[in-house]
Amino acid sequence: MLVYVTGCIIGSLITLILHMDIGNLSFIKKDSTWITLFLHNLYVNGLLVLGGVLLGFPTLIILFVNSIITGFQFSQSFLTGQISELLFGIMPHGIFEIPASILSAALGFQIFGFIYTLIFSKNNTSWDFFKFAKKCVLIILLTCIAAMMEVFVQLYSTT
């Protein structure tokens, strides 16, 4: 969570300090379907989880880059006067997508912690597969809801 907040702050500061104004942002992807968004976000969340196998570095990098982009979008919407578009376009699905990403990252770090303990600790350690599977199902559900909201709430808000 600290990484995500830090990335958002850094993205916002970069945008505000450099006064990077690229014009109006488009928060609506009319050519995307909920299934394509779901699969893309599920792929990213899978990378966050599996990044734990590589000492958590991929997980950390993906989470940090995503948070910098989020901070950039917040600042850019502020500079261009698109706060309401941001709130209605991104926030409804972000309520589900951001927790899914954070949970995915947490699972990635748990995998790293398990591997680290397995290699360097003399204590026996075990992996609770069912807890892991439940969290994976929750990630899939949150990602699915976020994708549907991104498409259907945005369509509703533009009509």
Side-chain angles (χ1 to χ4, degrees), residues 67-106:
S67 63
I68 287 175
I69 292 169
T70 301
F72 171 76
Q73 287 187 326
F74 272 106
S75 296
Q76 192 65 28
S77 67
F78 176 76
L79 288 174
T80 59
Q82 290 181 287
I83 299 293
S84 62
E85 288 86 349
L86 175 80
L87 293 177
F88 291 112
I90 290 179
M91 293 311 287
H93 80 275
I95 292 169
F96 297 99
E97 188 174 327
I98 291 172
S101 295
I102 291 172
L103 182 57
S104 299

mmCIF file of all heavy atoms in Angstrom, residues 67-106:
data_model
loop_
_atom_site.group_PDB
_atom_site.id
_atom_site.type_symbol
_atom_site.label_atom_id
_atom_site.label_comp_id
_atom_site.label_asym_id
_atom_site.label_seq_id
_atom_site.Cartn_x
_atom_site.Cartn_y
_atom_site.Cartn_z
ATOM 1 N N SER A 67 1.032 2.844 -10.104
ATOM 2 C CA SER A 67 0.670 3.926 -9.187
ATOM 3 C C SER A 67 1.154 5.280 -9.707
ATOM 4 O O SER A 67 0.476 6.289 -9.511
ATOM 5 C CB SER A 67 1.213 3.644 -7.791
ATOM 6 O OG SER A 67 2.615 3.599 -7.787
ATOM 7 N N ILE A 68 2.296 5.316 -10.372
ATOM 8 C CA ILE A 68 2.767 6.573 -10.970
ATOM 9 C C ILE A 68 1.793 7.031 -12.055
ATOM 10 O O ILE A 68 1.457 8.216 -12.148
ATOM 11 C CB ILE A 68 4.198 6.418 -11.527
ATOM 12 C CG1 ILE A 68 5.194 6.343 -10.370
ATOM 13 C CG2 ILE A 68 4.555 7.568 -12.465
ATOM 14 C CD1 ILE A 68 6.622 6.059 -10.790
ATOM 15 N N ILE A 69 1.305 6.106 -12.854
ATOM 16 C CA ILE A 69 0.329 6.441 -13.899
ATOM 17 C C ILE A 69 -0.967 6.947 -13.270
ATOM 18 O O ILE A 69 -1.566 7.912 -13.754
ATOM 19 C CB ILE A 69 0.086 5.227 -14.820
ATOM 20 C CG1 ILE A 69 1.346 4.943 -15.633
ATOM 21 C CG2 ILE A 69 -1.111 5.455 -15.738
ATOM 22 C CD1 ILE A 69 1.338 3.622 -16.372
ATOM 23 N N THR A 70 -1.385 6.329 -12.177
ATOM 24 C CA THR A 70 -2.593 6.784 -11.482
ATOM 25 C C THR A 70 -2.395 8.217 -10.968
ATOM 26 O O THR A 70 -3.269 9.063 -11.139
ATOM 27 C CB THR A 70 -2.928 5.845 -10.307
ATOM 28 O OG1 THR A 70 -3.116 4.521 -10.807
ATOM 29 C CG2 THR A 70 -4.178 6.297 -9.578
ATOM 30 N N GLY A 71 -1.243 8.477 -10.370
ATOM 31 C CA GLY A 71 -0.946 9.833 -9.904
ATOM 32 C C GLY A 71 -0.901 10.832 -11.044
ATOM 33 O O GLY A 71 -1.393 11.963 -10.925
ATOM 34 N N PHE A 72 -0.340 10.408 -12.169
ATOM 35 C CA PHE A 72 -0.301 11.263 -13.359
ATOM 36 C C PHE A 72 -1.717 11.599 -13.809
ATOM 37 O O PHE A 72 -2.023 12.749 -14.114
ATOM 38 C CB PHE A 72 0.469 10.561 -14.477
ATOM 39 C CG PHE A 72 0.371 11.259 -15.801
ATOM 40 C CD1 PHE A 72 1.092 12.406 -16.046
ATOM 41 C CD2 PHE A 72 -0.458 10.768 -16.795
ATOM 42 C CE1 PHE A 72 0.998 13.064 -17.257
ATOM 43 C CE2 PHE A 72 -0.561 11.413 -18.002
ATOM 44 C CZ PHE A 72 0.163 12.570 -18.239
ATOM 45 N N GLN A 73 -2.595 10.603 -13.851
ATOM 46 C CA GLN A 73 -3.965 10.849 -14.304
ATOM 47 C C GLN A 73 -4.723 11.771 -13.348
ATOM 48 O O GLN A 73 -5.492 12.618 -13.798
ATOM 49 C CB GLN A 73 -4.715 9.537 -14.499
ATOM 50 C CG GLN A 73 -4.249 8.796 -15.725
ATOM 51 C CD GLN A 73 -5.092 7.580 -16.031
ATOM 52 O OE1 GLN A 73 -5.581 6.915 -15.130
ATOM 53 N NE2 GLN A 73 -5.251 7.307 -17.306
ATOM 54 N N PHE A 74 -4.508 11.607 -12.044
ATOM 55 C CA PHE A 74 -5.146 12.507 -11.087
ATOM 56 C C PHE A 74 -4.699 13.948 -11.323
ATOM 57 O O PHE A 74 -5.512 14.853 -11.402
ATOM 58 C CB PHE A 74 -4.813 12.100 -9.644
ATOM 59 C CG PHE A 74 -5.759 11.102 -9.076
ATOM 60 C CD1 PHE A 74 -5.366 9.780 -8.928
ATOM 61 C CD2 PHE A 74 -7.034 11.462 -8.674
ATOM 62 C CE1 PHE A 74 -6.235 8.842 -8.401
ATOM 63 C CE2 PHE A 74 -7.908 10.535 -8.141
ATOM 64 C CZ PHE A 74 -7.509 9.211 -8.005
ATOM 65 N N SER A 75 -3.412 14.157 -11.437
ATOM 66 C CA SER A 75 -2.884 15.511 -11.634
ATOM 67 C C SER A 75 -3.298 16.083 -12.976
ATOM 68 O O SER A 75 -3.645 17.262 -13.079
ATOM 69 C CB SER A 75 -1.362 15.507 -11.531
ATOM 70 O OG SER A 75 -0.980 15.136 -10.245
ATOM 71 N N GLN A 76 -3.249 15.272 -14.005
ATOM 72 C CA GLN A 76 -3.610 15.730 -15.345
ATOM 73 C C GLN A 76 -5.089 16.132 -15.382
ATOM 74 O O GLN A 76 -5.437 17.130 -16.000
ATOM 75 C CB GLN A 76 -3.321 14.640 -16.373
ATOM 76 C CG GLN A 76 -3.397 15.115 -17.800
ATOM 77 C CD GLN A 76 -2.333 16.141 -18.136
ATOM 78 O OE1 GLN A 76 -1.254 16.171 -17.568
ATOM 79 N NE2 GLN A 76 -2.636 16.992 -19.087
ATOM 80 N N SER A 77 -5.933 15.359 -14.709
ATOM 81 C CA SER A 77 -7.360 15.719 -14.686
ATOM 82 C C SER A 77 -7.574 17.015 -13.901
ATOM 83 O O SER A 77 -8.454 17.804 -14.239
ATOM 84 C CB SER A 77 -8.192 14.582 -14.100
ATOM 85 O OG SER A 77 -7.898 14.400 -12.740
ATOM 86 N N PHE A 78 -6.746 17.246 -12.897
ATOM 87 C CA PHE A 78 -6.819 18.498 -12.143
ATOM 88 C C PHE A 78 -6.401 19.675 -13.020
ATOM 89 O O PHE A 78 -7.059 20.710 -13.059
ATOM 90 C CB PHE A 78 -5.932 18.410 -10.897
ATOM 91 C CG PHE A 78 -5.868 19.668 -10.101
ATOM 92 C CD1 PHE A 78 -6.928 20.056 -9.292
ATOM 93 C CD2 PHE A 78 -4.747 20.483 -10.164
ATOM 94 C CE1 PHE A 78 -6.874 21.224 -8.555
ATOM 95 C CE2 PHE A 78 -4.686 21.659 -9.441
ATOM 96 C CZ PHE A 78 -5.744 22.029 -8.630
ATOM 97 N N LEU A 79 -5.287 19.507 -13.753
ATOM 98 C CA LEU A 79 -4.789 20.590 -14.607
ATOM 99 C C LEU A 79 -5.739 20.928 -15.746
ATOM 100 O O LEU A 79 -5.835 22.079 -16.167
ATOM 101 C CB LEU A 79 -3.420 20.212 -15.198
ATOM 102 C CG LEU A 79 -2.241 20.203 -14.236
ATOM 103 C CD1 LEU A 79 -0.996 19.663 -14.939
ATOM 104 C CD2 LEU A 79 -1.980 21.596 -13.689
ATOM 105 N N THR A 80 -6.428 19.928 -16.279
ATOM 106 C CA THR A 80 -7.314 20.154 -17.423
ATOM 107 C C THR A 80 -8.770 20.358 -17.016
ATOM 108 O O THR A 80 -9.634 20.489 -17.879
ATOM 109 C CB THR A 80 -7.231 18.968 -18.410
ATOM 110 O OG1 THR A 80 -7.606 17.769 -17.724
ATOM 111 C CG2 THR A 80 -5.848 18.837 -18.995
ATOM 112 N N GLY A 81 -9.039 20.365 -15.711
ATOM 113 C CA GLY A 81 -10.402 20.576 -15.250
ATOM 114 C C GLY A 81 -11.318 19.396 -15.506
ATOM 115 O O GLY A 81 -12.513 19.570 -15.714
ATOM 116 N N GLN A 82 -10.767 18.211 -15.503
ATOM 117 C CA GLN A 82 -11.559 17.012 -15.778
ATOM 118 C C GLN A 82 -11.747 16.139 -14.531
ATOM 119 O O GLN A 82 -11.800 14.928 -14.624
ATOM 120 C CB GLN A 82 -10.874 16.163 -16.852
ATOM 121 C CG GLN A 82 -10.882 16.767 -18.223
ATOM 122 C CD GLN A 82 -10.215 15.834 -19.204
ATOM 123 O OE1 GLN A 82 -9.003 15.692 -19.195
ATOM 124 N NE2 GLN A 82 -11.016 15.199 -20.026
ATOM 125 N N ILE A 83 -11.891 16.781 -13.393
ATOM 126 C CA ILE A 83 -12.042 16.021 -12.146
ATOM 127 C C ILE A 83 -13.300 15.160 -12.185
ATOM 128 O O ILE A 83 -13.276 13.985 -11.804
ATOM 129 C CB ILE A 83 -12.072 16.971 -10.931
ATOM 130 C CG1 ILE A 83 -10.773 17.754 -10.822
ATOM 131 C CG2 ILE A 83 -12.367 16.212 -9.652
ATOM 132 C CD1 ILE A 83 -9.571 16.917 -10.497
ATOM 133 N N SER A 84 -14.411 15.710 -12.660
ATOM 134 C CA SER A 84 -15.651 14.919 -12.692
ATOM 135 C C SER A 84 -15.522 13.747 -13.664
ATOM 136 O O SER A 84 -16.015 12.651 -13.389
ATOM 137 C CB SER A 84 -16.852 15.788 -13.054
ATOM 138 O OG SER A 84 -16.696 16.340 -14.341
ATOM 139 N N GLU A 85 -14.854 13.952 -14.796
ATOM 140 C CA GLU A 85 -14.637 12.852 -15.736
ATOM 141 C C GLU A 85 -13.787 11.756 -15.097
ATOM 142 O O GLU A 85 -14.036 10.573 -15.295
ATOM 143 C CB GLU A 85 -13.959 13.342 -17.029
ATOM 144 C CG GLU A 85 -14.857 14.162 -17.929
ATOM 145 C CD GLU A 85 -14.869 15.638 -17.564
ATOM 146 O OE1 GLU A 85 -14.354 16.014 -16.489
ATOM 147 O OE2 GLU A 85 -15.416 16.425 -18.348
ATOM 148 N N LEU A 86 -12.785 12.164 -14.326
ATOM 149 C CA LEU A 86 -11.951 11.190 -13.630
ATOM 150 C C LEU A 86 -12.783 10.409 -12.616
ATOM 151 O O LEU A 86 -12.730 9.185 -12.580
ATOM 152 C CB LEU A 86 -10.789 11.886 -12.916
ATOM 153 C CG LEU A 86 -9.920 10.966 -12.067
ATOM 154 C CD1 LEU A 86 -8.943 10.232 -12.961
ATOM 155 C CD2 LEU A 86 -9.207 11.741 -11.002
ATOM 156 N N LEU A 87 -13.556 11.127 -11.829
ATOM 157 C CA LEU A 87 -14.338 10.465 -10.795
ATOM 158 C C LEU A 87 -15.375 9.508 -11.378
ATOM 159 O O LEU A 87 -15.555 8.403 -10.874
ATOM 160 C CB LEU A 87 -15.016 11.497 -9.895
ATOM 161 C CG LEU A 87 -14.072 12.325 -9.038
ATOM 162 C CD1 LEU A 87 -14.841 13.368 -8.243
ATOM 163 C CD2 LEU A 87 -13.266 11.435 -8.110
ATOM 164 N N PHE A 88 -16.038 9.914 -12.452
ATOM 165 C CA PHE A 88 -17.061 9.049 -13.039
ATOM 166 C C PHE A 88 -16.483 8.041 -14.018
ATOM 167 O O PHE A 88 -17.102 7.014 -14.284
ATOM 168 C CB PHE A 88 -18.139 9.890 -13.730
ATOM 169 C CG PHE A 88 -18.971 10.671 -12.765
ATOM 170 C CD1 PHE A 88 -18.897 12.044 -12.720
ATOM 171 C CD2 PHE A 88 -19.814 10.017 -11.876
ATOM 172 C CE1 PHE A 88 -19.661 12.764 -11.814
ATOM 173 C CE2 PHE A 88 -20.580 10.727 -10.969
ATOM 174 C CZ PHE A 88 -20.508 12.107 -10.936
ATOM 175 N N GLY A 89 -15.317 8.315 -14.557
ATOM 176 C CA GLY A 89 -14.739 7.422 -15.552
ATOM 177 C C GLY A 89 -13.809 6.369 -14.996
ATOM 178 O O GLY A 89 -13.797 5.234 -15.462
ATOM 179 N N ILE A 90 -13.043 6.727 -13.992
ATOM 180 C CA ILE A 90 -12.037 5.793 -13.480
ATOM 181 C C ILE A 90 -12.403 5.244 -12.108
ATOM 182 O O ILE A 90 -12.251 4.058 -11.849
ATOM 183 C CB ILE A 90 -10.661 6.486 -13.401
ATOM 184 C CG1 ILE A 90 -10.139 6.719 -14.802
ATOM 185 C CG2 ILE A 90 -9.667 5.648 -12.627
ATOM 186 C CD1 ILE A 90 -8.808 7.405 -14.846
ATOM 187 N N MET A 91 -12.890 6.077 -11.250
ATOM 188 C CA MET A 91 -13.082 5.660 -9.859
ATOM 189 C C MET A 91 -14.069 4.502 -9.665
ATOM 190 O O MET A 91 -13.809 3.634 -8.840
ATOM 191 C CB MET A 91 -13.482 6.854 -8.999
ATOM 192 C CG MET A 91 -12.377 7.890 -8.865
ATOM 193 S SD MET A 91 -10.769 7.216 -8.424
ATOM 194 C CE MET A 91 -11.051 6.803 -6.730
ATOM 195 N N PRO A 92 -15.180 4.437 -10.404
ATOM 196 C CA PRO A 92 -16.094 3.312 -10.135
ATOM 197 C C PRO A 92 -15.444 1.937 -10.315
ATOM 198 O O PRO A 92 -15.622 1.062 -9.472
ATOM 199 C CB PRO A 92 -17.227 3.521 -11.152
ATOM 200 C CG PRO A 92 -17.221 4.984 -11.409
ATOM 201 C CD PRO A 92 -15.772 5.379 -11.351
ATOM 202 N N HIS A 93 -14.667 1.758 -11.365
ATOM 203 C CA HIS A 93 -14.017 0.451 -11.528
ATOM 204 C C HIS A 93 -12.751 0.360 -10.695
ATOM 205 O O HIS A 93 -12.338 -0.728 -10.313
ATOM 206 C CB HIS A 93 -13.747 0.129 -12.999
ATOM 207 C CG HIS A 93 -12.540 0.789 -13.567
ATOM 208 N ND1 HIS A 93 -12.567 2.059 -14.083
ATOM 209 C CD2 HIS A 93 -11.272 0.355 -13.695
ATOM 210 C CE1 HIS A 93 -11.365 2.385 -14.500
ATOM 211 N NE2 HIS A 93 -10.551 1.375 -14.281
ATOM 212 N N GLY A 94 -12.157 1.510 -10.389
ATOM 213 C CA GLY A 94 -10.955 1.503 -9.560
ATOM 214 C C GLY A 94 -11.219 1.029 -8.142
ATOM 215 O O GLY A 94 -10.324 0.530 -7.463
ATOM 216 N N ILE A 95 -12.469 1.159 -7.697
ATOM 217 C CA ILE A 95 -12.840 0.676 -6.368
ATOM 218 C C ILE A 95 -12.582 -0.827 -6.271
ATOM 219 O O ILE A 95 -12.243 -1.344 -5.221
ATOM 220 C CB ILE A 95 -14.317 1.013 -6.073
ATOM 221 C CG1 ILE A 95 -14.486 2.522 -5.934
ATOM 222 C CG2 ILE A 95 -14.817 0.286 -4.835
ATOM 223 C CD1 ILE A 95 -15.922 2.980 -5.910
ATOM 224 N N PHE A 96 -12.712 -1.520 -7.378
ATOM 225 C CA PHE A 96 -12.481 -2.967 -7.403
ATOM 226 C C PHE A 96 -11.102 -3.328 -7.952
ATOM 227 O O PHE A 96 -10.469 -4.273 -7.506
ATOM 228 C CB PHE A 96 -13.564 -3.665 -8.236
ATOM 229 C CG PHE A 96 -14.929 -3.497 -7.664
ATOM 230 C CD1 PHE A 96 -15.793 -2.541 -8.158
ATOM 231 C CD2 PHE A 96 -15.353 -4.277 -6.608
ATOM 232 C CE1 PHE A 96 -17.056 -2.371 -7.618
ATOM 233 C CE2 PHE A 96 -16.610 -4.124 -6.057
ATOM 234 C CZ PHE A 96 -17.466 -3.164 -6.573
ATOM 235 N N GLU A 97 -10.640 -2.562 -8.932
ATOM 236 C CA GLU A 97 -9.383 -2.899 -9.605
ATOM 237 C C GLU A 97 -8.161 -2.647 -8.724
ATOM 238 O O GLU A 97 -7.233 -3.460 -8.700
ATOM 239 C CB GLU A 97 -9.261 -2.101 -10.902
ATOM 240 C CG GLU A 97 -8.107 -2.510 -11.762
ATOM 241 C CD GLU A 97 -8.102 -1.795 -13.096
ATOM 242 O OE1 GLU A 97 -9.171 -1.499 -13.633
ATOM 243 O OE2 GLU A 97 -6.996 -1.526 -13.585
ATOM 244 N N ILE A 98 -8.148 -1.552 -8.007
ATOM 245 C CA ILE A 98 -6.991 -1.243 -7.158
ATOM 246 C C ILE A 98 -6.846 -2.260 -6.020
ATOM 247 O O ILE A 98 -5.748 -2.773 -5.803
ATOM 248 C CB ILE A 98 -7.047 0.218 -6.658
ATOM 249 C CG1 ILE A 98 -6.813 1.168 -7.842
ATOM 250 C CG2 ILE A 98 -6.006 0.463 -5.570
ATOM 251 C CD1 ILE A 98 -7.034 2.623 -7.531
ATOM 252 N N PRO A 99 -7.918 -2.613 -5.312
ATOM 253 C CA PRO A 99 -7.760 -3.666 -4.301
ATOM 254 C C PRO A 99 -7.313 -5.009 -4.896
ATOM 255 O O PRO A 99 -6.531 -5.732 -4.272
ATOM 256 C CB PRO A 99 -9.152 -3.793 -3.664
ATOM 257 C CG PRO A 99 -9.765 -2.463 -3.870
ATOM 258 C CD PRO A 99 -9.249 -1.987 -5.193
ATOM 259 N N ALA A 100 -7.791 -5.333 -6.100
ATOM 260 C CA ALA A 100 -7.352 -6.576 -6.746
ATOM 261 C C ALA A 100 -5.854 -6.518 -7.037
ATOM 262 O O ALA A 100 -5.135 -7.509 -6.832
ATOM 263 C CB ALA A 100 -8.139 -6.821 -8.034
ATOM 264 N N SER A 101 -5.365 -5.373 -7.479
ATOM 265 C CA SER A 101 -3.930 -5.221 -7.751
ATOM 266 C C SER A 101 -3.113 -5.290 -6.464
ATOM 267 O O SER A 101 -2.054 -5.921 -6.425
ATOM 268 C CB SER A 101 -3.655 -3.886 -8.455
ATOM 269 O OG SER A 101 -4.260 -3.865 -9.713
ATOM 270 N N ILE A 102 -3.596 -4.650 -5.423
ATOM 271 C CA ILE A 102 -2.872 -4.668 -4.146
ATOM 272 C C ILE A 102 -2.863 -6.078 -3.559
ATOM 273 O O ILE A 102 -1.836 -6.546 -3.054
ATOM 274 C CB ILE A 102 -3.459 -3.631 -3.175
ATOM 275 C CG1 ILE A 102 -3.153 -2.223 -3.692
ATOM 276 C CG2 ILE A 102 -2.919 -3.815 -1.770
ATOM 277 C CD1 ILE A 102 -3.841 -1.110 -2.941
ATOM 278 N N LEU A 103 -3.990 -6.787 -3.645
ATOM 279 C CA LEU A 103 -4.042 -8.167 -3.172
ATOM 280 C C LEU A 103 -3.121 -9.061 -3.994
ATOM 281 O O LEU A 103 -2.429 -9.926 -3.452
ATOM 282 C CB LEU A 103 -5.481 -8.690 -3.213
ATOM 283 C CG LEU A 103 -5.717 -10.106 -2.701
ATOM 284 C CD1 LEU A 103 -5.233 -10.263 -1.256
ATOM 285 C CD2 LEU A 103 -7.193 -10.465 -2.813
ATOM 286 N N SER A 104 -3.062 -8.837 -5.296
ATOM 287 C CA SER A 104 -2.151 -9.603 -6.157
ATOM 288 C C SER A 104 -0.701 -9.367 -5.765
ATOM 289 O O SER A 104 0.097 -10.304 -5.698
ATOM 290 C CB SER A 104 -2.352 -9.216 -7.626
ATOM 291 O OG SER A 104 -3.654 -9.496 -8.052
ATOM 292 N N ALA A 105 -0.372 -8.098 -5.508
ATOM 293 C CA ALA A 105 0.988 -7.777 -5.085
ATOM 294 C C ALA A 105 1.299 -8.424 -3.736
ATOM 295 O O ALA A 105 2.394 -8.957 -3.530
ATOM 296 C CB ALA A 105 1.169 -6.262 -5.004
ATOM 297 N N ALA A 106 0.326 -8.392 -2.823
ATOM 298 C CA ALA A 106 0.530 -9.013 -1.513
ATOM 299 C C ALA A 106 0.784 -10.508 -1.657
ATOM 300 O O ALA A 106 1.658 -11.065 -0.978
ATOM 301 C CB ALA A 106 -0.675 -8.756 -0.616
#
